[in-house]
Amino acid sequence: MKILITGGAGFIGQRLAKRLLDRNELNGKPVTEIVLLDVALPNDDRLLSDERVRAETGDISDPAVLRRHIDTQTEAIFHLAAIVSGQAEADFDLGMKINLDASRALLEVCRAAGHKPRVVFTSSVAVYGGTLPDVVQDDTALNPQSSYGTQKAIAELLLSDYARRGFVDGRVLRLPTISVRPGLPNAAASSFASGIIREPLAGVRSTCPVDGETRVWLLSPKSAVEALIAGCEIDREKLGNRPIVNLPGLSVSVNEMVAALREVAGDEAAGRIDWQRDERIEKIVGSWPGAWNTARAEQLGLSGDENFADVIRAYIEEKRADERA
Amino acid sequence: MKILITGGAGFIGQRLAKRLLDRNELNGKPVTEIVLLDVALPNDDRLLSDERVRAETGDISDPAVLRRHIDTQTEAIFHLAAIVSGQAEADFDLGMKINLDASRALLEVCRAAGHKPRVVFTSSVAVYGGTLPDVVQDDTALNPQSSYGTQKAIAELLLSDYARRGFVDGRVLRLPTISVRPGLPNAAASSFASGIIREPLAGVRSTCPVDGETRVWLLSPKSAVEALIAGCEIDREKLGNRPIVNLPGLSVSVNEMVAALREVAGDEAAGRIDWQRDERIEKIVGSWPGAWNTARAEQLGLSGDENFADVIRAYIEEKRADERA
């Protein structure tokens, strides 16, 4: 099976590729080729040296680039490429180009290819907003309060209609905020949700831009990758007329995140957080749900994390393993 | 005030234009010019002879056409042009071009003009679908089961984000199915909702493609035009972070529609309906809500019709007046 991952040089993209290579199977077929398409090449040597991997650069909003990398052999596509929330708010046109136009172009190229590939779009807590129940339900209306959330909601609608019409075998997985991400802070409004754990663990101070009572809905990178694969493997019939699935997450307040950091790494680490509210970030993050109902996801065999302290422990363990490698 | 109406040669477009000319005021300002933009010219002589009216033809998905008719003097835009549900289902690309690309192009031209015009988009019952409560609520999730509904839902999201960012002063009015429309049947899946009244009244047989128990959500043309104007005049502040309003309608079953026809026009008229179910139409119409909560619309000063028999009587009265004119 040939697999395309857009945003394949990103953190989740590379991690997903490695997991697919390790299991060497998707939808019951062996993994013969993984194309990692992104604006840059991946930095992971293990990926680059695997003969099943082909790393490609290109602008995914250019249909010609997509046509070059999607053919009737491409049986599964994970569309992860995106302009993150903070950047899409700062640069409206770039967000529209990548989060909307590229998603639509991808669906059109699949439609033209005609073989109905399995297409997985990732979406986000950011499609919700406005007045929300404490726990968002499957039938809660979307009311995004950011351009990123709007663009993701539109991509969801497009994929759903392309799937309904039989142009693709599509599904949308709505991801909680991913934490703990390794690496550097990024332009996502949710960047702090990793930063306030990652930086203190590395002995570096980190600023938390939201109130400690702010409730966030989190998923670890490892569980996110497992959910992407499990989501890709769900039988189409089981999705009925609604190919959008809210993935399970952990509902924690920022104060609870810090308490978990204290539990795992001690007072000194937890003391490395500076609290300085940023209205711009608070407005975006505060519009997102702190939890949603996970009954449907669980019914479909998707699962999340048990508790945030374990997520931190897993992050530390992986970081050590990477440093040894 | 200069006003643009896209789809201005359509039935609702012409009717809206005449009403605006009659009241000669919108948002507290005199109506100095109404541009009717459509693929064809309006057929109403009274409109064409009014010196405040300029009728223009052009492809509204072409930004150059929109730029020609939207300038900083254009203070209000009613965007009514659309490919109807049945046709958008039959011709996917045409629906995407007019219902999505043209709506986006219109918003972009307004953004570039920079004067933040008041923009009214019309949307539809078709944005809903799947498993629905008996009465759809303001916070019920959209799950369109047609390409038309998908494209309308996307246009809603785009307008909401352009409004949130301050590019336009936008609002979306979700219309019930309009009945009784004069004229000929069209390619809308809901065409029968006018046909089964209009044709029998004219002594012509009409086919009803759905079961008599099917519940529809209706608004008369007259009330639709009043709601468009009232919706355009709502203060932006009153809309909060949700510029989308579900307009009040009448919830009636098809059997109740026929009973109202019998009440107004007698057994002979009501006997001119042939019942022949059409699975394609039933699937689309059956996915639409039979009613939605109208509390917010009423709070905002919007109203609908009292009962369907009166709607039929008003249709007959207007038809007679037109024939006398």
Side-chain angles (χ1 to χ4, degrees), chain A residues 88-93 96-97 100-101 104 108 111 129-131 138-147 150-151 153-154 157-158 161-162 164-165 167 241-243, chain B residues 88-93 96-97 100-101 104 108 111 129-131 138-147 150-151 153-154 157-158 161-162 164-165 167 241-243:
Chain A
E89 202 60 21
D91 187 341
F92 180 73
D93 294 305
M96 290 292 275
K97 184 178 158 189
L100 197 168
D101 294 329
R104 181 172 169 191
E108 272 299 294
R111 175 187 172 206
T131 308
D138 282 338
D139 62 355
T140 300
L142 307 189
N143 186 12
Q145 298 299 313
S146 66
S147 293
T150 300
Q151 292 147 11
I154 292 173
L157 282 161
L158 286 174
D161 201 43
Y162 276 69
R164 186 187 62 80
R165 295 190 76 120
F167 298 151
N241 65 12
R242 196 161 171 284
Chain B
E89 202 60 21
D91 187 341
F92 179 73
D93 294 305
M96 290 291 275
K97 183 178 158 187
L100 197 168
D101 293 330
R104 180 172 169 191
E108 271 299 295
R111 175 187 172 206
T131 308
D138 282 338
D139 62 355
T140 300
L142 307 189
N143 185 12
Q145 297 299 312
S146 66
S147 293
T150 300
Q151 292 148 10
I154 291 173
L157 283 161
L158 286 175
D161 201 43
Y162 276 70
R164 185 188 61 81
R165 295 190 75 121
F167 297 151
N241 64 12
R242 197 163 169 283

